[in-house]
Amino acid sequence: MTTCRHFFAALITCLYTAGIAHAQVIRCVDASGHVTYTDGTCPNSKQVQEILPPLTAQEQAEHEAQYQQALERKRAAQQLQAEREVAQQKADAQRAAALAAQRPVPPVIVQVPPSDPITTYVPLYPPRPPHIRPPHIRPPPPIRPQPDTGSYNCNVFRCYDGKGNTWSRP
């Protein structure tokens, strides 16, 4: 059991020292101007600056290549965006032209200078025909049956015979 503990402690110590070996260096300047370098925090210092280790020639070349690739990708993306905007503007212009072609042509309004208003009168609308009431035509009176020698009765409005016939009173 203790061997496992010693093993894990050794493993953790190894990992911790490996992390310190790659830690960054911090430059500390105190109030009197004394400069110290540490990998931890600066004790009571006013100015703290992180110092990066210098890059090797190979690392500098890799960084430069990555920078150039990123710059090329950015330029390509900008060019693609510009091409898209130009294509969008062309499509908008074509759409506007098609809409303008669909609109009806406005009528041409010609204004004729007026002639002498005192001597010439041109009505705006044709005159209305006069309103003439049609004559009232009475329909001819209905043909009255001649009463038979039989009996018939008359009241104020109509006459009736024994056969079911009626007619207006004369």
Side-chain angles (χ1 to χ4, degrees), residues 2-106:
T2 57
T3 56
C4 285
R5 286 185 189 168
H6 292 293
F7 175 74
F8 284 119
L11 182 64
I12 290 173
T13 306
C14 182
L15 291 175
Y16 180 73
T17 57
I20 293 175
H22 295 289
Q24 295 178 346
V25 178
I26 297 175
R27 181 176 183 239
C28 303
V29 180
D30 60 4
S32 64
H34 182 69
V35 177
T36 57
Y37 295 95
T38 183
D39 60 351
T41 59
C42 296
N44 299 329
S45 62
K46 290 190 175 182
Q47 187 176 9
V48 177
Q49 181 179 5
E50 187 177 348
I51 298 176
L52 298 174
L55 299 175
T56 64
Q58 183 182 1
E59 291 174 336
Q60 286 180 348
E62 289 175 3
H63 282 267
E64 183 65 28
Q66 289 177 355
Y67 173 74
Q68 290 299 328
Q69 289 174 355
L71 190 61
E72 288 175 10
R73 284 193 304 267
K74 181 179 178 182
R75 287 181 183 157
Q78 288 175 344
Q79 183 178 3
L80 182 62
Q81 181 65 25
E83 290 173 358
R84 286 181 185 163
E85 289 175 2
V86 168
Q88 182 66 32
Q89 289 175 353
K90 286 182 181 178
D92 290 343
Q94 289 175 350
R95 209 173 305 124
L99 287 175
Q102 291 177 354
R103 290 188 193 131
V105 178

